[in-house]
Amino acid sequence: MKPFLLLASRAEDAAADDEYRAYLRYTGLDAAQLRRIRMEAAPLPELDLSAYSGVIVGGSPFTSSDPPEQKSAAQHRVERELATLLDRIVAEDFPFLGACYGVGTLGLHQGAVIDRTYGEGLGGVTISLTAEGLQDPLLKGLPEQFTAFTGHKEGCTVLPPDAVLLASSAACPVHMFRIKTNLYATQFHPELDAEGLVTRIDIYRHAGYFPPESAEVLMEDARQFTATEPMKILRNFVERYTAL
C-alpha cells in the first residue's frame, strides 16, 4: 500500500513523539505506513502526492489568526509551505484530514474567517453531528453525539463558501467540515485520549492556553472524560483512502 503522510509542527520532542504514537495507534498503521515530516524543524521537501494514500495535518502550537508581526519565522514558513501544498491538494481533491490546525489551514485557504471568537479550553466536550455529518463516510459508525478533547485559541467563525458543516459543539459552531469530496478539517482532536491530553497539558503549561498554576487541576479534570469515538475518524480515513 502507499503510505499516508503526517505533517507535524510541534517543536517539543515529547509532544511531537506522543502525537505520532497516537496517530499510529488509532490509524492502525505502522511507521512505514505513516511517514512523518516535522515541518517546524526544516523546510518542507518537494512532495509527490501520487506516492501517498492521503495527507494528515496534526495539531500545532501555531495560531493562524495571530497578527503577522507576532508569528515566528518558522510559523511564517510553515504557513507558506502548507498554503502552497494545499493549492495542489484542493485542486486534486486529494485525501486530506487536518486535525485542529486543519481548521486554521484548510479553512483559511478556502476563505473561512478564523479568529478567537470560539476558542475552547483544554478538556472534554460534547460534539454533535449535523444531518450531513451523520451521512458522511468519514463519520461512519459514530453516534450523533460523542465526547472529544479540545484545546484551541481560535476557531472558524464563518465557513468557507463551499464547505459542508459536519459537526459542532455548544461553544464552537464549527468543529468539522468538508470541502469537495475528500478534504476534511476537525477542530477537535481525533487522535487524543485522556492520557494524551494530560501529556500535552504538562508540556504546554506555559504556552498561554491556560494559567500555568491550573495545570494539575486540568490534568485531573481530563481524566474524568473518556473519548473513544473520535478515533474512528482516523480508521475510516485510512480504510477509505488506502491506495495500492
Side-chain angles (χ1 to χ4, degrees):
M1 60 168 281
K2 294 180 182 179
F4 288 80
L5 176 64
L6 174 64
L7 297 177
S9 56
R10 299 185 185 277
E12 303 81 4
D13 289 342
D17 291 344
D18 190 69
E19 177 185 65
Y20 187 39
R21 285 191 295 268
Y23 275 107
L24 292 172
R25 180 185 312 120
Y26 292 121
T27 59
L29 300 172
D30 61 31
Q33 296 167 328
L34 181 62
R35 296 177 182 169
R36 177 178 62 159
I37 294 176
R38 292 182 61 175
M39 296 188 68
E40 87 293 343
L44 187 67
E46 185 66 29
L47 295 176
D48 178 5
L49 290 178
S50 68
Y52 294 97
S53 292
V55 173
I56 299 170
V57 168
S60 176
F62 297 150
T63 303
S64 300
S65 59
D66 278 347
E69 64 274 12
Q70 295 181 11
K71 297 178 180 180
S72 67
Q75 181 171 351
H76 280 295
R77 176 182 55 76
V78 168
E79 289 179 349
R80 289 194 303 270
E81 291 172 348
L82 279 175
T84 299
L85 181 61
L86 282 169
D87 288 342
R88 297 163 55 199
I89 285 173
V90 172
E92 297 180 27
D93 196 14
F94 187 80
F96 175 88
L97 175 61
C100 194
Y101 194 40
V103 169
T105 52
L106 179 62
L108 278 178
H109 186 272
Q110 291 298 290
V113 174
I114 307 294
D115 58 29
R116 295 194 177 218
T117 303
Y118 296 114
E120 291 176 297
L122 288 159
V125 302
T126 299
I127 304 296
S128 299
L129 299 184
T130 65
E132 291 83 359
L134 288 168
Q135 299 299 315
D136 193 276
L138 213 64
L139 293 160
K140 179 182 66 176
L142 276 78
E144 186 173 356
Q145 292 189 324
F146 57 89
T147 298
F149 287 114
T150 67
H152 53 104
K153 299 175 184 177
E154 63 185 3
C156 181
T157 301
V158 179
L159 275 170
D162 297 321
V164 177
L165 180 65
L166 301 176
S168 303
S169 74
C172 181
V174 179
H175 252 290
M176 185 173 183
F177 63 82
R178 185 186 72 242
I179 301 287
K180 294 187 172 180
T181 302
N182 302 313
L183 313 173
Y184 292 87
T186 71
Q187 189 67 79
F188 60 87
H189 286 272
E191 85 289 359
L192 203 53
D193 56 22
E195 286 309 309
L197 181 58
V198 167
T199 297
R200 290 188 194 175
I201 291 170
D202 188 40
I203 293 168
Y204 291 118
R205 66 173 67 211
H206 297 291
Y209 290 99
F210 53 86
E213 62 274 13
S214 68
E216 303 304 326
V217 172
L218 288 170
M219 291 180 191
E220 185 59 32
D221 288 346
R223 292 189 176 102
Q224 307 308 308
F225 291 92
T226 301
T228 57
E229 298 300 320
M231 295 74 174
K232 293 178 182 177
I233 295 170
L234 300 178
R235 287 282 191 169
N236 288 342
F237 187 75
V238 168
E239 290 176 5
R240 183 180 179 191
Y241 294 118
T242 293
L244 300 177

